[in-house]
Every structure is written in structure tokens, then in C-alpha cells.
Amino acid sequence: MSGPVKNNERTRIYDVAAAAGVSVATASRALNDTGRMTEETRERVKQVAAQLGFRPNAMARGLLGKRSFTIGLLTNDTYGRFTLPLMAGISEAPVDRGVSVFLCTIEDDAALAKVHVDALLDKQVDGIIASGRRVDRRLPVDLSNLSVPVVYAFTEGPDDSVTFVSDDAQGSREAVQWLVSRGRRRIVHITGPESFASVQVRARAYQAVIGEQAEIHHGQWSEARGHEVVARLWDGANTPPDGIFCGNDQIARGVVDALRERGVTVPDDVSVVGFDNWEIIAAATRPPLTSVDMNLRELGREAGLTVLALAEGKEVAPGIRCLPCQLVLRQSC
Amino acid sequence: MSGPVKNNERTRIYDVAAAAGVSVATASRALNDTGRMTEETRERVKQVAAQLGFRPNAMARGLLGKRSFTIGLLTNDTYGRFTLPLMAGISEAPVDRGVSVFLCTIEDDAALAKVHVDALLDKQVDGIIASGRRVDRRLPVDLSNLSVPVVYAFTEGPDDSVTFVSDDAQGSREAVQWLVSRGRRRIVHITGPESFASVQVRARAYQAVIGEQAEIHHGQWSEARGHEVVARLWDGANTPPDGIFCGNDQIARGVVDALRERGVTVPDDVSVVGFDNWEIIAAATRPPLTSVDMNLRELGREAGLTVLALAEGKEVAPGIRCLPCQLVLRQSC
DNA sequence: GCAAGATGAGCAAACGTTTTCTCAGCCAAA
DNA sequence: TTTGGCTGAGAAAACGTTTGCTCATCTTGC
């Protein structure tokens, strides 16, 4: 008639301790590989725990004020183009350590963002990763004075934050250099609106390789825009280009389609490279698009590892980390 | 020198109670709108709490064995095509009640799935939503005897489970009927492999409208497949169709492209309808695709509300719930 | 004027861990 | 033998809430 006798659903550490004939304290230490005890005792406890299928209650653990084994991912990319690869990378490392990820999609809605962030803080997340669909825009919420570490991925953070972005300059350089190496001499760049930071970075990298012959066409991020520019280039007085580096895959697909319709052969007459390596577009283009992949998954992985390190109290130098892009070769050049 | 004097980061309910001049118990009851007390007391406590920016610690709450205000979303759709709209819907209602969603992407990997599910159970989630990229495939993990409620969305669950799917039959019917109402007389169906349940459902609905003149072409889910079938139809001996209902938007886009290349005008000569309403494809097609939208967000919303209801102990009758699709009109018919 | 019921509010237990003390036993050095 | 350090292990506090129980006070009906 003494001691807790609850026959609840889950086995608690109390049950393990009782079964192993030790105290709760010893059981806890045995399972966490801390404290001093005979190797034999430790082993016995572990075995009993495994046998009973014991899994520690994360709530109780979290209550002690230590880790909650939980991180939050904030994003305004409801479409998922960037978020899901990122997400896959983020949870890759953490899940092995028992860490789960809260995904919060706030859609440029400051109030919604606040609700989500508050909920995350209530749940004592170990850290937050902020991510967006556009590198040069901040999320509509201030994360700078939170009690938990914050890491930015694919979105702009405050100056002293840890930020992960893809190395668009390197990716663009490789793409253009690849065109050059294929013997292309007149290479133009068709890309998005000048107001995007990534547009500027990519354009500068293109310019650095091409020099003064550089020719940049800004406009919408759409297939239609690809058609438009091709029409202008081929119907104009100047010699049309033999290489086209596009700011994203949608433009590139428009370009390739427009060229095919004009009877211009890709890649024989003109080589085309896209950016984003959006499988659904790049692979369906005829011919399939060579494109720059931003390695979002890897980016997510790094961000996940970093926020975990910060949560564990490790020091991480603030600054912007550029992760390399990779040129994915297909038949368009 | 008496009582807790900790000056920690977060304000606890203890601080609120002290500031309001009541006991912790009263404070708790005041904030939760339970128990008996003067309206004046309740109001005062609430006011003090608001002033101090008090937010209850979710861990402590969860430890009491009640709700954890947390649900898990399991999916094997790493690409995000289906998951993100679903996710947006799922968290819509819950977040207002302070519920956050763990997103777990398991990629047909049973071991990974188990790791994730275990992590979710450790964290005492109130419920789990299982979702997949294919309606007729089960996730590689058994969720049937969990201690928390499970709801299936866009994936197959056990017989006695609560499952949400889109009403593909109704969507297809409306699409085909729309073609008929536009005066189309010879309508064919180009769709994916026969092994997909959704392919069968959509095909049957098509057949039910068209009758014995039905003509179904099974094959890959790709743009290339659209080209292929158009070539076969227009180069064959029979009169080509004047209406085409496609099993997904990729096929539809291939069809429209192929027709344009042959000089067949869409929608004047032939009307085309797609399925999925995948914006990136449907909107970029020339002309833009009319397509069946599965209302994934709404589906997610229902699933979220249902799992919450179950978590609160409400009874929900098992069975398959079909949510209506919606025909989104664009210029392709 | 008194018993009985209603009302407002506090004490303390409970949730399942981790961790700080504390302590008994043992061994070696003096 | 005594002393002191080391080792293995347990008792109990702590984390921040919620809630069952208790109790004093107030109201009401006789």
C-alpha cells in the first residue's frame, strides 16, 4: 500500500527504477549516462528500460528548464517552393537527437506571425529558424530580443545575426563560365526585377565574367517574360545571342519555348541556363534545362545544426554564411 | 526572506498572483475562466497578467496530463506539392487556440517514420495527422494503436479511421460536364497509370458522363505523355477530339503545347481541362489551363479541426469524408 | 438568533523528470 | 586504529501549472 501504484498507459521512469531495483535518481542517471555507478547497474537499468519500452516524457524534461528538444521554423513561403527542401534539411540532423520541428507559415501577416512566435515561446522551443521566400526581405516580426537563439535562412536578418544564404554569385559565375567554356561568345542575361537583391548579385556575377559586352534584361519572373525578350532579341537589328543565362527557371523555360517556336535549336544554336533547378519546370522543358541548384536542403541542414549548437550554449560567430550552389547539367547547353 | 523571489526571465503565474494579491490557485482559475470568484477579482487578475505579459508555460501545463496544444503532421511528400497547402489549412484553426504543428517529412522510410512518431509521442502531441502524396498508399508506419487520435488526410488509413480526401469523382464530373456544356462532343481522357486509385475514380466519373463513347489513355503523369497522346490522336485515322480532360496539369500542359505546335487552337478548336490546379503550371500554360482544384487547404482545415475535436474527447464517426473540388476557370476552354 | 447552503479564495498535492545534497561503506595512508 | 578521500546510490527539492479539498464568510429562511 505504499508508493505510487498507478497503472497508467505509459511506463514512467518510476516503473523502470522499481523493476531494476534502484531509485528513480539512479535510473535517471543510468539512462542519461551521467553520475557514478557500477557499469553493471547502468547496464541493468538500460536493459530494463528497453524491455519496458520506456520513453521519457518530454514535457517533464522540458519543465526542468533545460532543453525542450523542439525548434520552430518560421516562413512566409506558403507555396513551399523553398520551404520544403529547407525543412527536409533542417530536420535531418535534429531528428536523430530527438528534436522535432514546428512549422509555422505566416503569410506576410504581422499579427499571425506574432501569434505563432508567442506560441513557440510558450512551448519553450530551443531555437527558431526564420526563413522566407525572398532573401532580401525580412519577416514581418521582430525576433531580435527573444530568449532563444534565432538563425536566419534564406531571408534577411539583423546585422549581428547568423544568416545562411546560397552563394548566388558563385552559382551565377559557374553558369556563365560554363556557357563560355562551351564556346558561347555573345551571352545575355534575362532576369527578374532589379529590386531583388538576388537579381543584383546574379547580374553582377554575370557582368564580372562577361565584361563590357554584358547585356541585362530585367522584368517579370515569368515564362511570358522569356518569350517577350526572345522576341525582342531575335526581331531586333542586332545579332541574336548564342548563350542565355536566365535569372530563374520560369524565364528560362519561356526562353527555350520561344526559341523552339522560332526554329532556333537549343542547345545547338543557343545554350540556355536557368536558376533554381525547380525540377517540375527544368525537367519538363524541351530540352531539359541546365540550371543552378541552390542546395536548399544543405542550407537547411546547416541552419538546423547551427540553431541546435546555439541552443546548447555553444558560441557561433554572427555573420552571413554563403553555401555553394551547384550547376545541374541537362540538355539545354 | 520568504517565498520564491526568483527574478527569472519569464513571469510565472506566481508573479501574477503576487502582483494581484491573490493565491496562485485563484490566479490560475481567474485566467482559465474556471472556478468561482468575484467578477472583480477575475478581472483584476487578468489585467495584471496582461500588464506583466504573462504567458503560461506550455510544458508545465502539458505535464498535468491534459492537452499539450500540439499536433503532428506526418507526410511522405517531400516535394511539398500537397503538403504545404494542407499544412496551411491544418494550422489555420488550431493556431488561434495556441496549437502548433510539428511537421515530419518521412520519405517512405519506415525507420525514419518510427523515429518521428516516437519523438511526437514523447512530446505528448494531442493528435497526429497522416498525409501522403498519394491517396491510395499508406505511410510506412502503423498508427493504429497509438494513445493519441489519428486522422488521415489525402492518404489511405485503416478501415475504421477518419479519413479526408478530395471528391475526385465530383471534380471530374464537373470538369467533363463543363466541356459538354461548351458544346464539346468528342471528349477523351488522358491520365496517369491505371494503378492509381485517383486515376480510376476520375476515369469512372468521366465515363459516367460520357457513356460508351468514352476513350481513356493511361500513361505517365508527364508533359511528354501529353505530347505523345496528342500525336497519336491527331495522326490517327479517327476524327480527333474537340475536348480533352486530363488527369493532371502536367499532362494537360503537354497537351496544350502539342496542340499549339500543330496549329490546333485552344480553346477554339479543342477545349482542355487539367486536374490539380497547380498554379505554376496551370497559369503559365498558353492559354492558361482550366483545372480542377482539390481544395487542399480546406481539406487541411477540416483535418485539423477534427483531430482537435478528437483530442478534446469528442466523438467523431469513422469513415471517409469527401470534400468537394472546384473547377477553376481559365482560358483553355 | 441560528442552522444550512452558497460563495469566494487558499493550501497542498500532483504531473514525470533531473539534479543537488547527503550518506553509508570501503580502502589506503598515517 | 583513526582519518580522510573516494565510490555508489538514495531522499528530496525543483520546474510551473492545475485542481481537489478545505475553510471562512456571507446570505437566507425559519
Side-chain angles (χ1 to χ4, degrees):
Chain A
M1 273 306 155
S2 71
V5 217
K6 286 253 195 78
N7 198 10
N8 264 351
E9 345 190 353
R10 276 187 87 117
T11 60
R12 300 151 304 156
I13 199 172
Y14 187 94
D15 306 320
V16 175
V22 296
S23 73
V24 206
T26 304
S28 170
R29 281 190 282 252
L31 295 173
N32 292 313
D33 278 326
T34 61
R36 297 177 310 213
M37 73 193 61
T38 342
E39 199 45 44
E40 188 264 323
T41 308
R42 198 183 292 282
E43 219 30 69
R44 180 161 40 94
V45 173
K46 281 185 177 176
Q47 208 163 323
V48 170
Q51 202 172 326
L52 264 55
F54 169 71
R55 311 224 72 210
N57 181 320
M59 294 277 155
R61 258 190 173 167
L63 188 50
L64 269 298
K66 301 291 175 188
R67 312 271 313 279
S68 69
F69 296 95
T70 278
I71 62 184
L73 171 58
L74 231 53
T75 178
N76 63 357
D77 167 35
T78 43
Y79 198 74
R81 165 68 187 100
F82 303 122
T83 298
L84 256 120
L86 212 59
M87 172 77 201
I90 287 173
S91 62
E92 208 168 77
V95 77
D96 290 330
R97 315 201 204 166
V99 173
S100 308
V101 181
F102 285 119
L103 177 57
C104 307
T105 54
I106 66 184
E107 14 208 296
D108 294 321
D109 178 340
L112 183 59
K114 184 160 164 38
V115 170
H116 267 122
V117 171
D118 283 346
L120 289 179
L121 293 178
D122 289 352
K123 296 187 176 93
Q124 312 276 112
V125 289
D126 292 335
I128 291 181
I129 298 177
S131 146
R133 62 170 173 260
R134 199 172 149 180
V135 158
D136 56 349
R137 280 286 183 279
R138 304 198 173 188
L139 295 183
V141 59
D142 181 22
L143 302 172
S144 50
N145 283 321
L146 263 39
S147 50
V148 297
V150 177
V151 166
Y152 296 81
F154 214 73
T155 191
E156 191 173 314
D159 287 343
D160 58 344
S161 62
V162 182
T163 305
F164 288 90
V165 296
S166 55
D167 193 342
D168 284 23
Q170 163 264 338
S172 304
R173 202 179 313 122
E174 283 192 17
V176 180
Q177 281 169 345
W178 174 256
L179 287 172
V180 170
S181 78
R182 309 304 282 177
R184 300 308 173 179
R185 288 294 159 255
R186 184 160 138 57
I187 302 169
V188 305
H189 183 35
I190 310 178
T191 185
E194 210 163 352
S195 58
F196 281 67
S198 54
V199 165
Q200 294 173 26
V201 171
R202 294 171 195 175
R204 264 199 297 278
Y206 155 80
Q207 217 152 12
V209 176
I210 297 301
E212 41 182 53
Q213 297 199 358
E215 181 180 328
I216 303 177
H217 299 262
H218 291 286
Q220 299 254 242
W221 284 119
S222 65
E223 292 190 30
R225 176 62 184 167
H227 287 273
E228 244 177 70
V229 179
V230 163
R232 189 171 319 158
L233 289 172
W234 262 261
D235 293 340
N238 296 333
T239 327
D242 58 0
I244 304 182
F245 171 47
C246 300
N248 77 356
D249 285 346
Q250 284 160 275
I251 294 177
R253 170 152 197 184
V255 164
V256 171
D257 281 354
L259 290 176
R260 183 171 1 87
E261 282 163 22
R262 295 185 161 257
V264 180
T265 314
V266 175
D268 293 343
D269 300 335
V270 182
S271 297
V272 178
V273 180
F275 206 108
D276 283 354
N277 191 33
W278 198 348
E279 186 78 14
I280 190 71
I281 299 177
T285 304
R286 291 168 301 149
L289 272 180
T290 290
S291 184
V292 178
D293 190 297
M294 292 187 286
N295 276 325
L296 289 171
R297 190 178 177 124
E298 181 63 20
L299 206 97
R301 232 178 67 85
E302 292 295 320
L305 286 170
T306 304
V307 80
L308 240 50
L310 284 167
E312 282 162 6
K314 290 178 191 143
E315 280 296 321
V316 175
I320 297 179
R321 307 257 199 300
C322 284
L323 270 62
C325 296
Q326 191 189 353
L327 189 65
V328 176
L329 300 180
R330 292 199 187 81
Q331 286 90 62
S332 71
C333 70
Chain B
M1 270 308 153
S2 72
V5 216
K6 286 252 195 78
N7 197 9
N8 265 352
E9 346 190 354
R10 277 187 86 121
T11 60
R12 300 151 304 155
I13 199 171
Y14 187 94
D15 305 320
V16 175
V22 296
S23 72
V24 203
T26 305
S28 170
R29 283 190 276 253
L31 296 173
N32 292 314
D33 279 326
T34 62
R36 298 179 309 215
M37 73 194 62
T38 344
E39 199 46 45
E40 187 264 324
T41 308
R42 200 184 290 281
E43 218 31 70
R44 180 159 42 92
V45 173
K46 281 186 177 175
Q47 208 161 322
V48 170
Q51 202 171 325
L52 265 54
F54 168 73
R55 312 223 71 211
N57 182 321
M59 294 277 156
R61 256 191 174 168
L63 188 51
L64 268 300
K66 302 288 175 188
R67 312 272 313 279
S68 69
F69 295 96
T70 277
I71 62 184
L73 172 58
L74 231 52
T75 178
N76 62 357
D77 167 35
T78 44
Y79 198 75
R81 164 69 187 99
F82 303 121
T83 299
L84 258 122
L86 211 59
M87 171 78 200
I90 288 174
S91 62
E92 209 168 75
V95 78
D96 290 330
R97 314 201 203 165
V99 173
S100 307
V101 180
F102 285 119
L103 177 56
C104 306
T105 53
I106 65 184
E107 13 208 298
D108 293 322
D109 177 342
L112 183 60
K114 184 160 166 35
V115 169
H116 267 122
V117 171
D118 283 347
L120 288 178
L121 293 178
D122 290 351
K123 296 189 175 89
Q124 314 276 114
V125 289
D126 292 335
I128 292 181
I129 299 178
S131 145
R133 63 170 171 261
R134 201 173 147 179
V135 158
D136 56 349
R137 281 284 183 278
R138 303 200 173 186
L139 295 183
V141 59
D142 180 23
L143 302 171
S144 51
N145 283 321
L146 263 38
S147 49
V148 298
V150 178
V151 166
Y152 296 79
F154 214 72
T155 191
E156 191 173 315
D159 287 344
D160 59 344
S161 62
V162 182
T163 305
F164 289 91
V165 295
S166 56
D167 192 343
D168 284 23
Q170 163 264 338
S172 303
R173 202 179 314 122
E174 283 192 16
V176 180
Q177 281 170 343
W178 174 255
L179 288 171
V180 171
S181 77
R182 308 305 282 177
R184 298 310 173 177
R185 287 296 157 253
R186 184 161 137 59
I187 302 169
V188 305
H189 182 34
I190 311 179
T191 186
E194 210 164 350
S195 58
F196 282 66
S198 53
V199 165
Q200 294 173 25
V201 171
R202 294 171 196 176
R204 263 199 298 277
Y206 155 81
Q207 215 150 13
V209 177
I210 297 301
E212 40 182 53
Q213 297 201 358
E215 179 180 329
I216 302 177
H217 299 263
H218 292 286
Q220 300 255 238
W221 284 118
S222 64
E223 291 191 29
R225 176 63 184 167
H227 286 272
E228 245 175 71
V229 179
V230 165
R232 188 172 317 159
L233 290 172
W234 263 261
D235 293 340
N238 296 335
T239 325
D242 57 0
I244 304 182
F245 170 46
C246 300
N248 78 355
D249 286 346
Q250 284 161 275
I251 294 177
R253 172 154 193 181
V255 164
V256 172
D257 281 354
L259 291 176
R260 184 170 2 84
E261 283 163 21
R262 300 188 155 253
V264 180
T265 313
V266 174
D268 293 344
D269 299 336
V270 181
S271 297
V272 178
V273 180
F275 207 109
D276 281 356
N277 192 30
W278 197 348
E279 186 79 16
I280 190 70
I281 299 179
T285 304
R286 291 167 302 149
L289 273 179
T290 289
S291 184
V292 178
D293 190 298
M294 292 186 287
N295 277 324
L296 289 173
R297 191 178 176 121
E298 182 63 19
L299 207 97
R301 232 178 68 85
E302 291 296 320
L305 285 171
T306 304
V307 80
L308 240 50
L310 284 168
E312 282 162 7
K314 290 176 192 145
E315 280 296 321
V316 175
I320 297 180
R321 307 258 199 301
C322 283
L323 269 62
C325 296
Q326 191 190 353
L327 189 65
V328 175
L329 299 179
R330 292 200 187 80
Q331 286 90 62
S332 69
C333 68

